[in-house]
Amino acid sequence: MQALVKDARWVFVGSVVLQTLIFGLGSAITKIAYDSVTPLWCMALRFGIALLVFLIPFGGRIVRSLRAARLRDWLPAAAGMAVSYIGANIALDLTTATNVGFLVALPVVFAPFIAIPVLRRRYRLYHLPFQAAVVAGLFFLCSNGGAFSFGLGEALALMGSVGIACALVFGEKGLANLDVVTISATQVGVTFIASLAGALAFEPPLDVAAVEPAAWGVIAFLALASTCLTFALQNFALTKLESSTVSMLLTGEPIFTAAFSWMILGETLSPVGLAGAAIIVACLVGETYLDGRAAKASAAAPAVSAPSVPTAPAVEGASGVRARLVRSGA
C-alpha cells in the first residue's frame, strides 16, 4: 500500500479510471436527453455551458496563454476532440449503441501509431498483444453475443475513435507548452463551435421550452462532470502518462457504460459480454503494469557523461608553471 502511495503514477492512472467511470454514466443517461432535444443541440448546450465554466474563472489566463502559443500547440488536439464527439453522437442516430461503443473505444489501436510521426516515439512491441486482446474484448462486450455489421454509422463511430486518438497524441504534445486548463478549454471551445454550426445547419431550431427538466439535468451533468471534469482529468493524466497508456485505460469506458445501463436502463450482459469485460480488465492491468516498469527503467537509466573539460584553475596552474620556467631562464 505504501508503494502505491509513493508511486505518483497511480494518481494519474486513477484520474483516467475516474474519467471512464464518469463517461460510462454519461453514456447511459444521454438518451434521456435525446427524448426532448436533438443530438447536436444537446452537444451545443453541453459544451456551451462547459465553455462558460472554464472562461468565467480562467478566461484571462487562457487568453494570455493562447496569445503566447502557436496554433499547432492546441488546434490539432481540439479538432480531434470535436471530430470524436460529433462522429460518435451522429453515429448513435444511425446504428446501435453497441456498435458505437465498440468502435469509439478503439483509440488504443490508433494512438501508438499516430505517436510515431507526431511524438517521434517508437512503437513498443509489448503493446501489440494487449491491443489485439482489447479489440477482441471490446467486440465481445459491446456485441454482447449479437451480430456485428458495418455501415455509415459505424464509419462515423470509427472516425470518432481516430479523433480521440489524435486528441490524445496531440494533447500530449501540446501540454509541453500549455497548461491543463488551457488545453482543456480549447478542446471544449472548438467542440462547442463545431456542434453549434452542425446544429444550425442540419437540425431544426431548438425549442427551449420543449426541453424536459430531466433532459436539462442530464445536460448539466454532461457539461460539468462529463466534460469539464473529464477533460481536465484526461489532460492532467497526459502530463505524466503517454497517450498510448491513456488510450488503453479509456477502453474501460464500455464496462462502466454496461454497468450503469444495467442499473439505470435494465440492460443486461450475456456471458460473452461478461467475458469481454474480463479480458479488457486483464489487459488494462497488464498494460499499466508494463508501462509503469518501462517508465521506471527509463527514469533509472544512467545519463551519458559528457567529455571532461579542463577547469580554469588547472589551465591557470599550467600557465603559472610556464611563467616560472621563463623567469628561471629555462
Side-chain angles (χ1 to χ4, degrees):
M1 186 65 181
Q2 291 179 348
L4 291 179
V5 173
K6 290 180 180 179
D7 188 357
R9 178 183 176 83
W10 288 97
V11 176
F12 297 87
V13 171
S15 71
V16 183
V17 174
L18 176 58
Q19 176 192 356
T20 60
L21 186 151
I22 296 170
F23 274 160
L25 177 57
S27 298
I29 65 176
T30 293
K31 287 199 172 184
I32 296 174
Y34 284 0
D35 289 338
S36 58
V37 61
T38 53
L40 286 174
W41 276 115
C42 181
M43 285 185 59
L45 291 171
R46 166 187 180 175
F47 284 94
I49 295 170
L51 183 60
L52 288 175
V53 171
F54 273 107
L55 291 180
I56 290 173
F58 303 115
R61 168 182 166 183
I62 292 168
V63 170
R64 288 191 298 271
S65 296
L66 291 178
R67 282 178 177 173
R70 298 161 296 184
L71 281 177
R72 65 172 180 257
D73 290 333
W74 60 269
L75 186 56
M81 193 66 75
V83 167
S84 71
Y85 274 88
I86 291 174
N89 279 269
I90 295 176
L92 282 171
D93 264 358
L94 299 175
T95 186
T96 64
T98 293
N99 287 4
V100 173
F102 167 57
L103 291 167
V104 170
L106 290 179
V108 62
V109 175
F110 304 114
F113 295 104
I114 297 173
I116 295 173
V118 174
L119 301 175
R120 309 291 185 186
R121 179 176 293 151
R122 67 182 181 85
Y123 181 83
R124 299 188 182 105
L125 289 178
Y126 71 74
H127 288 306
L128 188 59
F130 289 108
Q131 286 178 307
V134 162
V135 171
L138 283 169
F139 180 81
F140 293 146
L141 172 66
C142 297
S143 294
N144 204 22
F148 185 80
S149 60
F150 197 92
L152 178 59
E154 285 77 13
L156 288 171
L158 189 62
M159 180 182 73
S161 182
V162 175
I164 295 174
C166 289
L168 291 171
V169 174
F170 283 101
E172 181 184 350
K173 184 177 182 180
L175 284 163
N177 300 314
L178 293 170
D179 60 25
V180 169
V181 171
T182 302
I183 287 287
S184 301
T186 58
Q187 292 173 347
V188 170
V190 171
T191 307
F192 165 67
I193 293 171
S195 302
L196 181 61
L200 290 171
F202 302 111
E203 293 184 347
L206 176 66
D207 184 358
V208 177
V211 180
E212 299 174 356
W216 282 116
V218 170
I219 291 169
F221 173 84
L222 293 175
L224 300 177
S226 197
T227 302
C228 292
L229 180 56
T230 56
F231 278 38
L233 288 171
Q234 176 174 293
N235 289 308
F236 169 71
L238 286 170
T239 63
K240 178 71 173 179
L241 306 178
E242 293 183 358
S243 49
S244 58
T245 302
V246 175
S247 66
M248 174 65 73
L249 292 169
L250 287 175
T251 58
E253 179 188 343
I255 298 174
F256 291 114
T257 300
F260 285 118
S261 295
W262 170 69
M263 290 186 287
I264 297 171
L265 305 175
E267 298 179 0
T268 58
L269 278 178
S270 68
V272 172
L274 290 172
I279 291 172
I280 294 171
V281 170
C283 289
L284 295 182
V285 173
E287 174 87 358
T288 303
Y289 173 73
L290 289 180
D291 268 351
R293 289 191 61 181
K296 289 180 180 178
S298 177
V304 178
S305 58
S308 59
V309 178
T311 61
V315 174
E316 291 172 2
S319 300
V321 170
R322 287 196 297 269
R324 286 194 296 274
L325 289 173
V326 171
R327 286 195 297 270
S328 64

